[in-house]
Amino acid sequence: MLFPRSYIFARVAKQHCKTISNRNYVTKKFNTPLSGMEMARCGGIASMMRLPIASSTEGLDACFVGVPIDHGTSNRPGTRFGPREIRSSSVVVHEVNVTTGATPFQSLMVADVGDVWVNLYNLPDTCRSIKESFAKMIANGCIPLTAGGDHTITYPILQAIAGKYGPVGLVHVDAHGDCSDTMLGEKIAHGTPFRRAVEEGLLDTKRVVQIGLRGSGYSVDDNKYQLDNGFRVVPAEQCWHKSLSPLMNEVKEQMGDGPVYISFDIDALDPAFAPGTGTPEIGGLTSIQGLEVVRGCRGMNVVGADLVEVSPPYDTTGITALTGANLLFEMLCILPGVKYDK
């Protein structure tokens, strides 16, 4: 007897729901991504890594969350579609990091908590919503791993993070310093978040490193503000033709035991590896170096992280979103409490 396709899907969905219901927060069994052995990777709900979706962070050690905005951008828009495309691309990411031995889903309770409410017609109101949402999200110690969205989002996230942990160290991977005072007269934009963060005391400025900065600028002193405030700036040219593992050993010493936030702008990577972004700059990091930077954060007291500026309309291949999804998984793998089998 042949069953209608809808009947077959309903049976599979019912079985998946049973599986998810057995991974509840009361029994403290860990959530695990829906395996390709349970359902073809082209099927299922496209949550981050096809994890269960939670309505809050209660009972969670870490969460994936999206912030779909692009009205802080200065050049090409489209990052409002970043979280959705990153989630879609993440269905091919498996639950164990074979290279490093990290087993995050056997160590932490993780879920996808959906997207923060945003007002696409009012950037300050969006920032208010992000700050309030993240303050609730992290109240119980849950570590947020955020898919952007343009880099404006890091400012209100840091407001929430610093509200709980105090000034934090920062590992900032980017083609740009994002420390402008204003953009077209506005204080809030994707090129200003770290200037605002310094002004508001959200960063422990002696524990800030910026990696991958490059491109043309407005003056030869474009990085003066960061250097004057104690940032370590590592231009992309200092990263060419070498492993970044030695650099990250130095960064780990710089960060010490204090709380650390990771902010990774996908345009830190050369556009050959990540073309789908709003402000691409040639001469960037390789995807391998990107992995080295994130994996080099293992052992740091990471309290949050984001992956921003993925703009799917400018990459028909999907490689940028796929790279972003993998980097977010790598961020999960280096969080405190993750067990390693190697």
Side-chain angles (χ1 to χ4, degrees):
M1 178 178 180
L2 297 176
F3 293 103
R5 183 177 297 179
S6 58
Y7 173 79
I8 295 172
F9 181 79
R11 288 195 63 183
V12 173
K14 182 178 180 181
Q15 182 60 43
H16 181 41
C17 287
K18 287 181 179 178
T19 303
I20 291 177
S21 67
N22 288 334
R23 301 170 183 154
N24 59 69
Y25 308 142
V26 176
T27 61
K28 287 299 181 182
K29 292 182 179 179
F30 293 125
N31 293 332
T32 55
L34 178 62
S35 168
M37 301 300 180
E38 297 177 74
M39 177 180 283
R41 296 201 177 273
C42 55
I45 297 173
S47 60
M48 188 67 184
M49 297 182 66
R50 301 197 298 183
L51 281 164
I53 299 169
S55 58
S56 76
T57 59
E58 182 180 357
L60 297 180
D61 300 305
C63 68
F64 291 105
V65 57
V67 185
I69 73 166
D70 60 9
H71 49 315
T73 58
S74 58
N75 191 35
R76 306 190 303 192
T79 54
R80 67 179 63 185
F81 304 115
R84 183 174 296 176
E85 195 65 22
I86 289 171
R87 286 187 173 102
S88 180
S89 297
S90 75
V91 301
V92 300
V93 183
H94 296 201
E95 64 185 83
V96 174
N97 193 318
V98 176
T99 302
T100 67
T103 57
F105 300 107
Q106 297 173 27
S107 312
L108 305 176
M109 179 65 84
V110 188
D112 187 330
V113 296
D115 290 339
V116 170
W117 183 90
V118 298
N119 182 347
L120 294 179
Y121 304 98
N122 188 320
L123 187 54
D125 190 42
T126 290
C127 288
R128 174 201 57 78
S129 176
I130 295 169
K131 176 184 177 181
E132 292 176 357
S133 298
F134 274 79
K136 294 177 182 177
M137 212 177 297
I138 66 176
N140 66 346
C142 180
I143 301 174
L145 302 172
T146 307
D150 71 58
H151 222 151
T152 308
I153 70 172
T154 307
Y155 166 46
I157 293 174
L158 283 173
Q159 287 180 313
I161 292 284
K164 179 175 177 62
Y165 298 102
V168 296
L170 175 70
V171 178
H172 175 206
V173 195
D174 203 324
H176 312 98
D178 291 351
C179 285
S180 296
D181 185 23
T182 62
M183 299 189 76
L184 296 178
E186 297 297 326
K187 291 280 190 178
I188 300 176
H190 77 158
T192 68
F194 302 110
R195 172 79 70 121
R196 302 287 86 81
V198 170
E199 291 172 346
E200 295 183 19
L202 311 180
L203 298 177
D204 179 355
T205 57
K206 299 301 182 184
R207 295 194 302 121
V208 175
V209 62
Q210 295 184 313
I211 302 170
L213 274 57
R214 64 189 187 277
S216 55
Y218 295 103
S219 78
V220 294
D221 296 322
D222 262 11
N223 297 324
K224 185 177 186 301
Y225 180 83
Q226 299 99 292
L227 296 172
D228 286 348
N229 280 279
F231 290 21
R232 179 179 182 182
V233 176
V234 184
E237 288 81 359
Q238 294 181 14
C239 303
W240 289 354
H241 315 301
K242 67 175 70 172
S243 168
L244 298 188
S245 294
L247 167 66
M248 293 311 297
N249 289 334
E250 296 174 7
V251 171
K252 190 177 299 184
E253 290 187 16
Q254 179 187 1
M255 295 299 143
D257 298 327
V260 175
Y261 188 84
I262 302 170
S263 187
F264 199 121
D265 187 325
I266 201 69
D267 73 19
L269 303 185
D270 190 272
F273 300 95
T277 191
T279 316
E281 303 279 1
I282 67 168
L285 307 183
T286 67
S287 54
I288 294 172
Q289 290 175 314
L291 289 173
E292 288 181 319
V293 170
V294 176
R295 290 176 181 175
C297 294
R298 177 182 173 184
M300 297 182 194
N301 181 18
V302 177
V303 295
D306 63 51
L307 188 288
V308 298
E309 297 287 356
V310 170
S311 183
Y314 294 98
D315 179 8
T316 57
T317 69
I319 191 173
T320 310
L322 176 64
T323 302
N326 276 275
L327 288 172
L328 280 167
F329 171 65
E330 294 283 346
M331 292 174 186
L332 174 66
C333 289
I334 56 87
L335 293 185
V338 171
K339 299 174 183 176
Y340 284 74
D341 280 347
K342 289 186 178 180

